[in-house]
Amino acid sequence: MNRPLRVLLTALVFASPALGATDVSMMGGAIRFPVPDQWVPIMQSEGETETQVFQVPGSSAADATLARVSITAQKVPNLNGFQQFAGNLRSHATGLTEYTPGKAAAPTENVYTAKEGAVTLAYFERYFYSNGYAIQLRCVRPANDARFGASFDKGCAELAARIPS
Protein backbone atom coordinates (compact mmCIF):
# COMPACT_ATOMS: atom_id res chain seq x y z
CA MET A 1 0.00 0.00 0.00
CA ASN A 2 1.38 3.40 -0.88
CA ARG A 3 2.18 5.91 1.86
CA PRO A 4 -0.51 8.58 1.10
CA LEU A 5 -3.26 5.96 1.12
CA ARG A 6 -2.00 4.46 4.39
CA VAL A 7 -1.87 7.94 6.00
CA LEU A 8 -5.43 8.67 4.81
CA LEU A 9 -6.78 5.35 6.12
CA THR A 10 -5.06 5.85 9.47
CA ALA A 11 -6.51 9.35 9.75
CA LEU A 12 -10.00 8.04 8.96
CA VAL A 13 -9.73 5.31 11.58
CA PHE A 14 -8.83 7.83 14.26
CA ALA A 15 -11.39 10.39 13.10
CA SER A 16 -14.36 8.11 12.46
CA PRO A 17 -15.64 7.75 16.05
CA ALA A 18 -15.99 11.52 16.30
CA LEU A 19 -17.29 12.17 12.79
CA GLY A 20 -20.68 13.83 12.86
CA ALA A 21 -21.38 13.57 16.59
CA THR A 22 -20.57 15.38 19.81
CA ASP A 23 -20.57 13.34 23.01
CA VAL A 24 -22.76 14.83 25.74
CA SER A 25 -22.38 13.90 29.40
CA MET A 26 -24.90 14.62 32.14
CA MET A 27 -25.32 13.82 35.83
CA GLY A 28 -21.60 13.50 36.50
CA GLY A 29 -21.07 11.19 33.51
CA ALA A 30 -23.82 8.71 34.45
CA ILE A 31 -25.75 9.60 31.28
CA ARG A 32 -23.92 9.89 27.98
CA PHE A 33 -25.16 10.18 24.40
CA PRO A 34 -24.03 11.67 21.08
CA VAL A 35 -25.75 14.57 19.29
CA PRO A 36 -25.08 15.75 15.72
CA ASP A 37 -22.30 18.31 15.38
CA GLN A 38 -24.75 20.67 13.65
CA TRP A 39 -26.86 20.99 16.82
CA VAL A 40 -25.79 24.15 18.64
CA PRO A 41 -25.71 24.00 22.46
CA ILE A 42 -27.70 26.99 23.75
CA MET A 43 -28.23 26.13 27.42
CA GLN A 44 -26.89 23.82 30.08
CA SER A 45 -27.80 23.55 33.73
CA GLU A 46 -26.26 21.39 36.44
CA GLY A 47 -27.52 20.32 39.83
CA GLU A 48 -30.26 18.08 41.18
CA THR A 49 -31.99 18.39 37.80
CA GLU A 50 -29.83 18.88 34.74
CA THR A 51 -30.85 20.10 31.31
CA GLN A 52 -29.05 20.41 27.98
CA VAL A 53 -30.73 22.37 25.17
CA PHE A 54 -29.64 22.36 21.53
CA GLN A 55 -30.80 24.58 18.69
CA VAL A 56 -31.32 22.54 15.52
CA PRO A 57 -30.65 24.33 12.22
CA GLY A 58 -33.69 24.24 9.97
CA SER A 59 -34.86 24.92 6.46
CA SER A 60 -35.23 28.66 7.11
CA ALA A 61 -34.05 31.24 9.60
CA ALA A 62 -37.36 30.95 11.49
CA ASP A 63 -36.99 27.18 11.82
CA ALA A 64 -33.42 27.50 13.06
CA THR A 65 -34.59 29.86 15.79
CA LEU A 66 -37.50 27.69 16.92
CA ALA A 67 -36.36 24.11 16.41
CA ARG A 68 -34.69 22.70 19.50
CA VAL A 69 -34.02 19.53 21.42
CA SER A 70 -33.70 19.34 25.18
CA ILE A 71 -32.69 16.53 27.48
CA THR A 72 -33.60 16.83 31.15
CA ALA A 73 -32.39 14.35 33.77
CA GLN A 74 -33.05 13.97 37.47
CA LYS A 75 -31.93 11.38 40.02
CA VAL A 76 -35.02 9.57 41.38
CA PRO A 77 -35.25 7.01 44.18
CA ASN A 78 -37.37 4.47 42.29
CA LEU A 79 -39.91 3.87 39.52
CA ASN A 80 -42.52 5.91 41.42
CA GLY A 81 -40.12 8.87 41.34
CA PHE A 82 -39.78 8.40 37.58
CA GLN A 83 -43.56 8.39 37.16
CA GLN A 84 -43.85 11.58 39.23
CA PHE A 85 -41.09 13.26 37.14
CA ALA A 86 -42.85 12.33 33.87
CA GLY A 87 -46.27 13.29 35.25
CA ASN A 88 -45.08 16.73 36.35
CA LEU A 89 -43.57 17.47 32.93
CA ARG A 90 -46.66 16.16 31.09
CA SER A 91 -48.86 18.33 33.32
CA HIS A 92 -46.73 21.38 32.51
CA ALA A 93 -47.23 20.72 28.79
CA THR A 94 -51.02 20.86 29.09
CA GLY A 95 -50.71 24.47 30.33
CA LEU A 96 -49.07 25.68 27.11
CA THR A 97 -51.01 28.07 24.84
CA GLU A 98 -53.37 26.19 22.51
CA TYR A 99 -52.18 22.78 23.74
CA THR A 100 -53.62 20.05 21.51
CA PRO A 101 -52.78 16.41 22.28
CA GLY A 102 -51.58 14.15 19.48
CA LYS A 103 -51.34 10.39 19.15
CA ALA A 104 -48.41 8.85 20.99
CA ALA A 105 -47.01 5.52 19.80
CA ALA A 106 -46.05 4.33 23.31
CA PRO A 107 -46.94 5.06 26.95
CA THR A 108 -43.53 6.67 27.44
CA GLU A 109 -44.27 9.28 24.77
CA ASN A 110 -46.15 12.58 24.78
CA VAL A 111 -47.05 14.14 21.42
CA TYR A 112 -48.83 17.48 21.07
CA THR A 113 -48.90 20.89 19.42
CA ALA A 114 -48.95 24.27 21.12
CA LYS A 115 -48.33 27.88 20.21
CA GLU A 116 -45.21 29.85 21.02
CA GLY A 117 -45.90 33.44 20.06
CA ALA A 118 -47.64 33.28 16.69
CA VAL A 119 -46.08 29.96 15.63
CA THR A 120 -47.64 26.53 16.12
CA LEU A 121 -44.99 24.05 17.24
CA ALA A 122 -44.98 20.25 17.20
CA TYR A 123 -43.71 18.63 20.40
CA PHE A 124 -42.44 15.09 20.84
CA GLU A 125 -41.44 13.99 24.33
CA ARG A 126 -40.08 10.62 25.35
CA TYR A 127 -39.37 9.49 28.90
CA PHE A 128 -36.67 7.06 30.00
CA TYR A 129 -35.77 5.45 33.33
CA SER A 130 -32.12 4.43 33.49
CA ASN A 131 -29.98 3.44 36.48
CA GLY A 132 -31.96 5.58 38.94
CA TYR A 133 -32.36 8.56 36.60
CA ALA A 134 -35.54 9.92 35.07
CA ILE A 135 -34.84 11.39 31.63
CA GLN A 136 -37.00 13.47 29.31
CA LEU A 137 -36.13 13.96 25.64
CA ARG A 138 -38.14 16.89 24.23
CA CYS A 139 -38.06 17.73 20.51
CA VAL A 140 -39.74 20.97 19.41
CA ARG A 141 -40.12 22.16 15.82
CA PRO A 142 -42.39 24.31 13.67
CA ALA A 143 -45.47 22.22 12.85
CA ASN A 144 -45.96 23.44 9.27
CA ASP A 145 -42.69 22.55 7.55
CA ALA A 146 -43.04 18.96 6.31
CA ARG A 147 -39.62 18.70 4.64
CA PHE A 148 -37.72 20.04 7.63
CA GLY A 149 -40.03 18.11 9.98
CA ALA A 150 -39.07 14.79 8.40
CA SER A 151 -35.31 15.33 8.86
CA PHE A 152 -35.78 16.83 12.34
CA ASP A 153 -37.96 13.90 13.45
CA LYS A 154 -35.38 11.45 12.12
CA GLY A 155 -32.63 13.14 14.15
CA CYS A 156 -34.84 13.11 17.23
CA ALA A 157 -35.60 9.38 16.79
CA GLU A 158 -31.88 8.65 16.37
CA LEU A 159 -31.13 10.48 19.62
CA ALA A 160 -33.93 8.61 21.43
CA ALA A 161 -32.34 5.32 20.32
CA ARG A 162 -29.01 6.39 21.89
CA ILE A 163 -30.26 7.54 25.27
CA PRO A 164 -29.63 4.85 27.87
CA SER A 165 -32.76 3.07 29.06
Side-chain angles (χ1 to χ4, degrees):
M1 182 177 335
N2 67 27
R3 180 171 159 64
L5 182 58
R6 187 174 44 226
V7 170
L8 176 63
L9 290 175
T10 302
L12 288 174
V13 167
F14 286 113
S16 60
L19 266 181
T22 299
D23 192 39
V24 175
S25 175
M26 296 177 71
M27 306 306 288
I31 301 168
R32 300 178 78 77
F33 51 89
V35 298
D37 284 339
Q38 300 85 351
W39 291 10
V40 179
I42 58 173
M43 192 201 85
Q44 175 181 355
S45 69
E46 293 184 3
E48 189 174 311
T49 301
E50 292 188 9
T51 301
Q52 296 262 351
V53 182
F54 300 90
Q55 182 179 3
V56 179
S59 61
S60 71
D63 290 342
T65 300
L66 299 170
R68 60 194 178 274
V69 173
S70 65
I71 302 93
T72 300
Q74 180 178 329
K75 182 84 170 151
V76 293
N78 51 36
L79 194 51
N80 287 337
F82 165 73
Q83 291 169 336
Q84 183 178 2
F85 170 86
N88 289 342
L89 291 172
R90 287 175 190 251
S91 178
H92 174 73
T94 62
L96 296 174
T97 304
E98 295 186 30
Y99 168 86
T100 305
K103 184 174 169 101
T108 58
E109 293 179 358
N110 191 22
V111 178
Y112 57 96
T113 59
K115 274 204 151 171
E116 187 175 286
V119 179
T120 299
L121 299 174
Y123 292 78
F124 170 81
E125 298 172 350
R126 181 142 178 220
Y127 297 88
F128 305 86
Y129 181 64
S130 178
N131 297 321
Y133 291 95
I135 305 166
Q136 178 204 48
L137 167 64
R138 185 180 202 210
C139 302
V140 183
R141 64 170 174 78
N144 299 323
D145 186 342
R147 192 184 77 187
F148 172 67
S151 66
F152 180 88
D153 294 349
K154 181 178 182 254
C156 192
E158 288 171 359
L159 177 56
R162 290 182 172 91
I163 292 180
S165 57

